[in-house]
Structure formats: C-alpha cells, structure tokens
Amino acid sequence: MSLRLLVLAVLLVPLLGSCALLGGAPPRELSSQPPATAPVQPAVPLTARAAGGATRREITVALTLQNGSGQPLALRYAAQVNWGSCGLPPYVALTRVDGAAVSAPAPAGRLTCPGLQFSRTLAPGETLTLKRTLPPLPPGRYTLTAWFDGEAGGEPVRVQAPGIVVEVN
C-alpha cells in the first residue's frame, strides 16, 4: 500500500501544480508509437485482440478486450492524443511491413483532449470492442499495433494486442 501512496504522491504533486497554473488538468499526450519496452501486463486477466480492414485508403481498427476473470471487471479510460488526433482507445502505431516507420499525421497546432472519463464494467467472459478509423494512407502493406491504456480493477494497465497486417489499395 505504501508504494501506491508514493506513486500517487509523485503523480499528484505535478498535476496539482499544473492545475493551479493553467486552471485545468495538463493535456495528456501519447506517442503514436508503442512503448519500446514490453507492454505492461495487467494484474487482472484482461486480454486484447486487434482486427483491421482497409476501405479505399482508410484503415478501421477494432480492439476487443475480454475479461478473463471469474468476477466483474471495472474499466476506466479517457480520450488521449494518438495518431495525430484526440481520441478514445484503441491507440495505434503503424509500420510498413518492410519495417519502415510510418509517421502519424501532424496536427495543426497543439492538441489537448477534454478531461472526460469513460467507464464500463465487464462481466466474466464479456468483451468490449473499441473502434477507430485512421486518416487516409498511401497504398501498401502495414503492420498495425493496437493497445488500450486505462485502468482495470482500479490499477493502471496497458494491454497490447499482437500486431496485424493490413493492406491499403
């Protein structure tokens, strides 16, 4: 419990200072790339799988989360900056199949996301599918990585699905 309080204190002091200076919570910005280290595996059994399909030059991404525990699991998440816009999970990163990096679209100015929190309780075995559509991409084959950042069972989690290959014609 003391580790939780220490982490809370370390995170809360700068946040409160920012709120006092800016009049609101600081914007949350995430890289459009997945973490360089292995994703955080939640203490609760939450699994993820990604699906993607291309229509014309846009890719639609679906990330399905499943509660693998025998008890209800409360999820919380918020809009964050990812792939050039403010949006809800799934968060994504793309590379070309040959390994070349694909840059996210550059926003016109600084993006901030509204401080809205969303919550959903999954029954044992229940799934939640989160979807988003990416801006048009040049034709080619892409490896797409999708993940969920939020809280599960009151603990911060990052649940990443295995990468999938998507083709844009």
Side-chain angles (χ1 to χ4, degrees):
M1 186 63 140
S2 62
L3 178 61
R4 183 181 282 175
L5 290 175
L6 177 63
V7 170
L8 182 61
V10 168
L11 295 175
L12 202 55
V13 170
L15 177 64
L16 291 175
S18 296
C19 290
L21 293 173
L22 301 175
R28 291 186 66 184
E29 295 187 36
L30 288 183
S31 167
S32 61
Q33 300 298 321
T37 59
V40 174
Q41 294 303 316
V44 291
L46 186 63
T47 59
R49 70 179 180 277
T55 56
R56 296 186 185 119
R57 292 176 46 174
E58 293 179 340
I59 295 176
T60 299
V61 182
L63 181 70
T64 301
L65 304 172
Q66 183 173 23
N67 177 5
S69 75
Q71 298 184 24
L73 179 61
L75 299 178
R76 287 177 38 120
Y77 53 96
Q80 297 178 12
V81 176
N82 177 254
W83 201 252
S85 66
C86 183
L88 295 172
Y91 304 114
V92 298
L94 289 172
T95 58
R96 290 202 173 262
V97 170
D98 66 7
V102 177
S103 296
R110 184 178 173 97
L111 285 177
T112 58
C113 295
L116 302 174
Q117 291 284 324
F118 297 88
S119 62
R120 168 81 187 267
T121 299
L122 298 180
E126 186 178 6
T127 61
L128 171 64
T129 300
L130 303 164
K131 296 181 181 180
R132 78 183 296 178
T133 300
L134 302 181
L137 294 163
R141 290 172 48 92
Y142 299 89
T143 300
L144 181 139
T145 304
W147 66 92
F148 169 85
D149 279 338
E151 289 182 9
E155 298 294 326
V157 295
R158 171 169 280 178
V159 183
Q160 184 173 316
I164 59 171
V165 174
V166 178
E167 186 164 355
V168 175
N169 297 319

